[in-house]
Amino acid sequence: MNTVLSRANSLFAFSLSVMAALTFGCFITTAFKDRSIPVDIRVSKVMIKNVDDFTGPRERSDLGFVTFDVSANLQPIFDWNVKELFLYLTAEYSTKSNALNQVVLWDKIVLRGDNTKLNLRDVKSKYFFFDDGNGLRSNKNITLTLSWNVVPNAGILPLVMGSGHKSLAFPESYETAKSY
Amino acid sequence: MYVFVHVPRQSRLGYIATQEIGSMEPAFHRGDLLFLTNRVEDPIRVGEIVVFRIEGREIPIVHRVLKIHEKENGDIKFLTKGDNNSVDDRGLYKQGQHWLEKKDVVGRARGFVPYIGIVTILMNDYPKFKVCNVSCLNDELFNAVREHASLL
């Protein structure tokens, strides 16, 4: 321990060990936490059209339009090991051609330090709600749920679904008016 | 986000150090380490972070699943998008390819440790750093050996 270099080396190695221990501590203290909270979803407007899927496969498919309200208090989820929450609103349903369909209609990134009270009204979906085919018309059972991916400082990346969902039904006929 | 993949053939658990652009920011940055699992029986659901390879390209991509359509027999087709991108990944897929399938998936991101890969990136970006690192270690080793030799 009599050269600058060996002292620097020891210091560096020690710092690395401490940081590794802290990182592991961060992980193990939050690994088994339940990160679910109640969520309130409401739907204000539902409409359906049938157009060529311009986002990809150019087949005539059902295009759904959903306007919704979502509110939740995200405060209980954040702790010392949560860096970010990736929120996403999923529409889940089944059709004659596909047993399970899941479409993300909207997503949002909430970082630690951001406003944690989520209270959004009349939100239009961010992504086009195209079905793989024509299975949305008269579909009585579309379930909307809000979920989030917890991104920690270090540790597991769980996907958590909020408790509270909303079922909606699409109308029997397509909307012919130009407006949305 | 392009990644440097190291998924061992035998085991189901692999890891990767992220190398390139920040299409998954602010969650993951260059130099973060992602732990992957590759259990084929795990169903692919929206919101999951998957590592996939596009046919004909070597470099795998780590993005989030945006949409899935699964048939009763388990056949699934899905669409992905990077968190920080404004459009989905159809522009990245092969010409004429609109969906990804289970066979394209290399793994699912389950855990994460920040900053670990930074040394590898520094050594790749600045080769001088690699040389300096090695020579410093050599000095250290030399000194340590000398110390112990004098104690004998």
Short mmCIF file of all heavy atoms in Angstrom, two decimals, chain A residues 90-118:
data_model
loop_
_atom_site.label_atom_id
_atom_site.label_comp_id
_atom_site.label_asym_id
_atom_site.label_seq_id
_atom_site.Cartn_x
_atom_site.Cartn_y
_atom_site.Cartn_z
N THR A 90 -54.66 -1.45 -22.39
CA THR A 90 -54.82 -2.58 -23.31
C THR A 90 -56.29 -2.86 -23.57
O THR A 90 -57.10 -2.86 -22.65
CB THR A 90 -54.21 -3.86 -22.69
OG1 THR A 90 -52.93 -3.56 -22.20
CG2 THR A 90 -54.11 -4.96 -23.72
N ALA A 91 -56.61 -3.13 -24.83
CA ALA A 91 -57.94 -3.63 -25.18
C ALA A 91 -57.79 -5.09 -25.51
O ALA A 91 -57.01 -5.45 -26.40
CB ALA A 91 -58.50 -2.87 -26.38
N GLU A 92 -58.49 -5.96 -24.76
CA GLU A 92 -58.36 -7.39 -24.98
C GLU A 92 -59.70 -7.97 -25.40
O GLU A 92 -60.73 -7.65 -24.81
CB GLU A 92 -57.89 -8.05 -23.68
CG GLU A 92 -57.57 -9.52 -23.84
CD GLU A 92 -56.91 -10.11 -22.61
OE1 GLU A 92 -56.04 -9.42 -22.04
OE2 GLU A 92 -57.28 -11.23 -22.23
N TYR A 93 -59.69 -8.81 -26.42
CA TYR A 93 -60.94 -9.36 -26.91
C TYR A 93 -60.64 -10.61 -27.73
O TYR A 93 -59.47 -10.88 -28.04
CB TYR A 93 -61.68 -8.34 -27.79
CG TYR A 93 -60.89 -7.89 -29.00
CD1 TYR A 93 -61.13 -8.42 -30.26
CD2 TYR A 93 -59.90 -6.92 -28.89
CE1 TYR A 93 -60.40 -8.02 -31.37
CE2 TYR A 93 -59.16 -6.51 -29.98
CZ TYR A 93 -59.42 -7.06 -31.22
OH TYR A 93 -58.69 -6.66 -32.32
N SER A 94 -61.68 -11.36 -28.07
CA SER A 94 -61.44 -12.50 -28.93
C SER A 94 -62.42 -12.46 -30.11
O SER A 94 -63.50 -11.87 -30.01
CB SER A 94 -61.56 -13.81 -28.15
OG SER A 94 -62.87 -14.17 -27.99
N THR A 95 -62.00 -13.00 -31.22
CA THR A 95 -62.82 -12.97 -32.42
C THR A 95 -62.90 -14.37 -33.01
O THR A 95 -62.25 -15.30 -32.52
CB THR A 95 -62.22 -12.04 -33.49
OG1 THR A 95 -60.92 -12.53 -33.84
CG2 THR A 95 -62.11 -10.63 -33.00
N LYS A 96 -63.67 -14.50 -34.09
CA LYS A 96 -63.79 -15.82 -34.74
C LYS A 96 -62.45 -16.29 -35.27
O LYS A 96 -62.14 -17.47 -35.23
CB LYS A 96 -64.80 -15.73 -35.88
CG LYS A 96 -66.23 -15.89 -35.42
CD LYS A 96 -67.13 -16.38 -36.54
CE LYS A 96 -67.41 -15.28 -37.55
NZ LYS A 96 -68.43 -14.33 -37.07
N SER A 97 -61.63 -15.38 -35.80
CA SER A 97 -60.37 -15.83 -36.40
C SER A 97 -59.22 -15.92 -35.40
O SER A 97 -58.28 -16.67 -35.62
CB SER A 97 -59.99 -14.93 -37.58
OG SER A 97 -60.23 -13.59 -37.27
N ASN A 98 -59.27 -15.16 -34.32
CA ASN A 98 -58.20 -15.20 -33.33
C ASN A 98 -58.75 -15.37 -31.93
O ASN A 98 -59.63 -14.62 -31.51
CB ASN A 98 -57.39 -13.89 -33.37
CG ASN A 98 -56.58 -13.76 -34.64
OD1 ASN A 98 -55.80 -14.62 -34.97
ND2 ASN A 98 -56.79 -12.66 -35.35
N ALA A 99 -58.22 -16.38 -31.21
CA ALA A 99 -58.74 -16.64 -29.86
C ALA A 99 -58.41 -15.51 -28.90
O ALA A 99 -59.17 -15.20 -28.00
CB ALA A 99 -58.16 -17.95 -29.34
N LEU A 100 -57.24 -14.89 -29.08
CA LEU A 100 -56.86 -13.80 -28.17
C LEU A 100 -56.25 -12.65 -28.97
O LEU A 100 -55.36 -12.85 -29.78
CB LEU A 100 -55.83 -14.30 -27.14
CG LEU A 100 -55.29 -13.22 -26.20
CD1 LEU A 100 -56.37 -12.72 -25.27
CD2 LEU A 100 -54.12 -13.77 -25.39
N ASN A 101 -56.78 -11.46 -28.73
CA ASN A 101 -56.20 -10.27 -29.34
C ASN A 101 -55.93 -9.27 -28.24
O ASN A 101 -56.76 -9.08 -27.35
CB ASN A 101 -57.19 -9.62 -30.32
CG ASN A 101 -57.62 -10.58 -31.39
OD1 ASN A 101 -56.97 -10.73 -32.39
ND2 ASN A 101 -58.76 -11.24 -31.16
N GLN A 102 -54.76 -8.63 -28.30
CA GLN A 102 -54.49 -7.56 -27.34
C GLN A 102 -53.94 -6.38 -28.13
O GLN A 102 -52.99 -6.54 -28.90
CB GLN A 102 -53.43 -8.00 -26.33
CG GLN A 102 -53.93 -8.99 -25.30
CD GLN A 102 -52.86 -9.30 -24.26
OE1 GLN A 102 -51.68 -9.26 -24.57
NE2 GLN A 102 -53.27 -9.60 -23.06
N VAL A 103 -54.52 -5.22 -27.93
CA VAL A 103 -54.07 -4.02 -28.64
C VAL A 103 -53.81 -2.93 -27.60
O VAL A 103 -54.67 -2.65 -26.78
CB VAL A 103 -55.13 -3.53 -29.64
CG1 VAL A 103 -54.64 -2.31 -30.39
CG2 VAL A 103 -55.51 -4.63 -30.61
N VAL A 104 -52.62 -2.34 -27.66
CA VAL A 104 -52.35 -1.21 -26.76
C VAL A 104 -52.92 0.04 -27.41
O VAL A 104 -52.57 0.38 -28.53
CB VAL A 104 -50.84 -1.04 -26.52
CG1 VAL A 104 -50.56 0.24 -25.75
CG2 VAL A 104 -50.29 -2.24 -25.77
N LEU A 105 -53.83 0.71 -26.71
CA LEU A 105 -54.47 1.88 -27.29
C LEU A 105 -53.74 3.16 -26.95
O LEU A 105 -53.80 4.15 -27.67
CB LEU A 105 -55.91 2.00 -26.78
CG LEU A 105 -56.84 0.85 -27.14
CD1 LEU A 105 -58.23 1.14 -26.61
CD2 LEU A 105 -56.89 0.67 -28.64
N TRP A 106 -53.06 3.13 -25.79
CA TRP A 106 -52.47 4.37 -25.29
C TRP A 106 -51.38 4.01 -24.31
O TRP A 106 -51.49 3.00 -23.60
CB TRP A 106 -53.60 5.15 -24.62
CG TRP A 106 -53.23 6.34 -23.84
CD1 TRP A 106 -53.12 7.62 -24.29
CD2 TRP A 106 -52.93 6.41 -22.44
NE1 TRP A 106 -52.78 8.46 -23.27
CE2 TRP A 106 -52.66 7.75 -22.12
CE3 TRP A 106 -52.87 5.45 -21.42
CZ2 TRP A 106 -52.33 8.17 -20.85
CZ3 TRP A 106 -52.54 5.86 -20.14
CH2 TRP A 106 -52.29 7.21 -19.87
N ASP A 107 -50.31 4.81 -24.27
CA ASP A 107 -49.30 4.56 -23.25
C ASP A 107 -48.71 5.87 -22.75
O ASP A 107 -48.91 6.93 -23.35
CB ASP A 107 -48.19 3.62 -23.76
CG ASP A 107 -47.52 4.12 -25.04
OD1 ASP A 107 -47.34 5.33 -25.20
OD2 ASP A 107 -47.17 3.25 -25.86
N LYS A 108 -48.05 5.80 -21.62
CA LYS A 108 -47.49 7.00 -21.02
C LYS A 108 -46.32 6.60 -20.13
O LYS A 108 -46.35 5.58 -19.45
CB LYS A 108 -48.56 7.69 -20.17
CG LYS A 108 -48.10 8.98 -19.53
CD LYS A 108 -49.26 9.70 -18.86
CE LYS A 108 -48.83 10.86 -18.01
NZ LYS A 108 -48.04 11.87 -18.69
N ILE A 109 -45.29 7.45 -20.15
CA ILE A 109 -44.15 7.21 -19.28
C ILE A 109 -44.25 8.15 -18.09
O ILE A 109 -44.42 9.36 -18.26
CB ILE A 109 -42.83 7.46 -20.04
CG1 ILE A 109 -42.64 6.37 -21.09
CG2 ILE A 109 -41.65 7.47 -19.08
CD1 ILE A 109 -41.42 6.56 -21.95
N VAL A 110 -44.19 7.58 -16.88
CA VAL A 110 -44.21 8.40 -15.67
C VAL A 110 -42.90 8.17 -14.94
O VAL A 110 -42.61 7.06 -14.50
CB VAL A 110 -45.40 8.01 -14.74
CG1 VAL A 110 -45.38 8.85 -13.48
CG2 VAL A 110 -46.71 8.19 -15.48
N LEU A 111 -42.08 9.21 -14.84
CA LEU A 111 -40.80 9.07 -14.16
C LEU A 111 -40.96 9.42 -12.69
O LEU A 111 -41.88 10.13 -12.31
CB LEU A 111 -39.78 10.03 -14.78
CG LEU A 111 -39.41 9.74 -16.22
CD1 LEU A 111 -38.58 10.87 -16.78
CD2 LEU A 111 -38.62 8.45 -16.31
N ARG A 112 -40.02 8.95 -11.88
CA ARG A 112 -40.06 9.29 -10.46
C ARG A 112 -39.87 10.79 -10.35
O ARG A 112 -38.97 11.36 -10.95
CB ARG A 112 -38.94 8.58 -9.71
CG ARG A 112 -39.01 8.89 -8.23
CD ARG A 112 -38.15 8.01 -7.41
NE ARG A 112 -36.81 7.98 -7.90
CZ ARG A 112 -36.00 6.95 -7.70
NH1 ARG A 112 -36.45 5.91 -7.04
NH2 ARG A 112 -34.79 6.96 -8.15
N GLY A 113 -40.75 11.43 -9.61
CA GLY A 113 -40.68 12.89 -9.51
C GLY A 113 -41.77 13.56 -10.31
O GLY A 113 -42.16 14.68 -10.03
N ASP A 114 -42.31 12.87 -11.32
CA ASP A 114 -43.43 13.43 -12.08
C ASP A 114 -44.69 13.39 -11.24
O ASP A 114 -44.77 12.67 -10.26
CB ASP A 114 -43.68 12.60 -13.36
CG ASP A 114 -42.61 12.85 -14.42
OD1 ASP A 114 -41.77 13.75 -14.20
OD2 ASP A 114 -42.64 12.15 -15.43
N ASN A 115 -45.71 14.10 -11.69
CA ASN A 115 -47.00 14.08 -11.03
C ASN A 115 -47.57 12.66 -11.04
O ASN A 115 -47.70 12.04 -12.10
CB ASN A 115 -47.94 15.03 -11.79
CG ASN A 115 -49.28 15.13 -11.13
OD1 ASN A 115 -49.43 14.76 -9.97
ND2 ASN A 115 -50.26 15.60 -11.88
N THR A 116 -47.91 12.14 -9.86
CA THR A 116 -48.35 10.75 -9.80
C THR A 116 -49.86 10.60 -9.80
O THR A 116 -50.36 9.49 -9.78
CB THR A 116 -47.80 10.07 -8.53
OG1 THR A 116 -48.14 10.88 -7.41
CG2 THR A 116 -46.31 9.91 -8.62
N LYS A 117 -50.58 11.70 -9.81
CA LYS A 117 -52.04 11.57 -9.85
C LYS A 117 -52.47 11.60 -11.31
O LYS A 117 -52.39 12.63 -11.97
CB LYS A 117 -52.69 12.74 -9.08
CG LYS A 117 -52.41 12.69 -7.62
CD LYS A 117 -53.64 13.03 -6.79
CE LYS A 117 -53.37 13.10 -5.31
NZ LYS A 117 -52.38 12.15 -4.79
N LEU A 118 -52.92 10.44 -11.76
CA LEU A 118 -53.33 10.32 -13.14
C LEU A 118 -54.83 10.60 -13.22
O LEU A 118 -55.62 9.93 -12.56
CB LEU A 118 -53.06 8.88 -13.60
CG LEU A 118 -53.10 8.59 -15.08
CD1 LEU A 118 -51.90 9.20 -15.75
CD2 LEU A 118 -53.10 7.09 -15.30
#
